[in-house]
Amino acid sequence: QVQLVESGGGLVQAGGSLRLACAASGHTFSDYHMGWFRQAPGKDRNFIASINWSSGGTYYAGSVKGRFTISRDISKNTVYLQMNNLNPGDAAIYYCAARRGDNWFDSWGQGTQVTVSS
């Protein structure tokens, strides 16, 4: 069973940066994609970015492209989300997720809160 544990959330001023981490365990991830999603109060959970664990290929939602960077450290089984130039619209609970092959994301972390003050 895949286990995902996020960390790194917190309070940051507008224009600031945060790096989220997601520690993954319970499986060999060579055929997985790892992703980040976020959910603001009263809104749907939305896709942010994903990375192919093996190739390192990445994909981003348009709203964060150029500001956020997803990466992974295979030796640590950890996925990162570097978030720069944050604005109040980025405030949400951020979730790490995993999917295997062509399946949709079906393993989720507990989430980490990101708050951006204006």
Side-chain angles (χ1 to χ4, degrees):
Q1 175 136 2
V2 175
Q3 296 178 327
L4 304 171
V5 179
E6 301 98 333
S7 61
L11 173 64
V12 64
Q13 287 188 332
S17 299
L18 278 176
R19 189 177 78 154
L20 306 182
C22 172
S25 62
H27 208 279
T28 301
F29 295 102
S30 58
D31 56 347
Y32 273 72
H33 287 72
M34 310 298 284
W36 286 97
F37 291 72
R38 67 185 181 188
Q39 186 169 21
K43 295 188 176 181
D44 294 334
R45 186 175 301 187
N46 291 321
F47 169 83
I48 296 298
S50 66
I51 187 167
N52 182 305
W53 188 265
S54 292
S55 71
T58 58
Y59 185 77
Y60 295 92
S63 59
V64 304
K65 200 169 186 178
R67 297 189 300 126
F68 291 11
T69 302
I70 188 171
S71 62
R72 90 276 193 243
D73 186 329
I74 294 175
S75 68
K76 297 182 179 179
N77 262 15
T78 299
V79 179
Y80 301 97
L81 185 68
Q82 177 67 43
M83 305 186 294
N84 298 329
N85 194 22
L86 287 160
N87 60 66
D90 296 314
I93 298 176
Y94 282 70
Y95 295 91
C96 179
R99 67 177 179 91
R100 187 175 187 180
D102 293 332
N103 297 323
W104 187 240
F105 292 94
D106 59 1
S107 297
W108 296 87
Q110 82 288 351
T112 186
Q113 179 73 52
V114 171
T115 304
V116 184
S117 63
S118 56

